[in-house]
Amino acid sequence: MSTPEPCPGGTWTSPVMMGIVPVKRDNAQAGADGFVRVDRDYVAQAAELARAGGCKHFVLQSSRGANAQSRFLYLRVKGEVENLVQAVGFDRCTILRPAVLLCKRQESRPTEWIAQQFLGVVARVFPTAYSVPVETVARAMVACVLQPGEEKVKVLENGAIHELGKAVPQQGT
């Protein structure tokens, strides 16, 4: 690990204070083994490397319903990675559990597109119930890093993600 460098004004900073791991994969291309490798194994390894590098606060995007005991692969893997990241021993760990992510994709996923269109309409009536725009999740991740916290592990469900996402200004505002 490198020696910390002084900031202007003479204060010292740690090389790695917080970690956020973005994950991109395509379930259809990767299959179940690829999904487990990317969403659990790679994220757990990134957390271990971040901690070894001096990371104090790790932010993990998981999923609503994550549960290591679930019969559903997706929710089980998300619950398993939550447990693995917590076991690394960060000073702080924030876990975001968003509902369905609303986003524009480059690849074609007709079923997901239909679901997002429906949930987009539902979101106008129940904005925090079933979905969240990916931009809101990203702003919430930044906000949780910027806000001081006492809890060793903090889990944010979809409604809290919406609220925290409002704490960081959107581009152009």
Side-chain angles (χ1 to χ4, degrees), residues 133 135-136 139 162 164-173:
E135 298 85 2
T136 301
R139 286 193 305 273
H162 274 273
L164 197 54
K166 295 176 186 174
V168 175
Q170 295 182 32
Q171 189 175 22
T173 58

Side-chain angles (χ1 to χ4, degrees), residues 1 47-55 88 90:
M1 187 163 85
E48 290 171 2
L49 290 169
R51 181 70 179 114
C55 179
V88 170
F90 293 100

Side-chain angles (χ1 to χ4, degrees), residues 141-168:
M141 294 174 99
V142 170
C144 73
V145 170
L146 297 175
Q147 295 178 352
E150 300 295 322
E151 300 151 304
K152 184 160 179 68
V153 177
K154 184 173 186 174
V155 177
L156 300 172
E157 300 292 344
N158 202 57
I161 293 168
H162 274 273
E163 287 301 312
L164 197 54
K166 295 176 186 174
V168 175

Side-chain angles (χ1 to χ4, degrees), residues 61-74:
Q61 179 188 314
S62 184
S63 175
R64 173 187 271 174
N67 180 340
Q69 308 306 314
S70 178
R71 293 184 297 154
F72 299 102
L73 177 67
Y74 183 83

Side-chain angles (χ1 to χ4, degrees), residues 27-89:
N27 287 344
Q29 293 173 352
D33 291 340
F35 168 70
V36 172
R37 184 174 53 254
V38 171
D39 279 54
R40 186 191 64 203
D41 301 344
Y42 288 176
V43 174
Q45 289 171 4
E48 290 171 2
L49 290 169
R51 181 70 179 114
C55 179
K56 305 288 185 203
H57 183 185
F58 196 84
V59 180
L60 172 67
Q61 179 188 314
S62 184
S63 175
R64 173 187 271 174
N67 180 340
Q69 308 306 314
S70 178
R71 293 184 297 154
F72 299 102
L73 177 67
Y74 183 83
L75 297 177
R76 182 175 64 247
V77 168
K78 294 297 186 177
E80 289 171 354
V81 77
E82 286 183 9
N83 293 342
L84 290 167
V85 167
Q86 289 178 58
V88 170

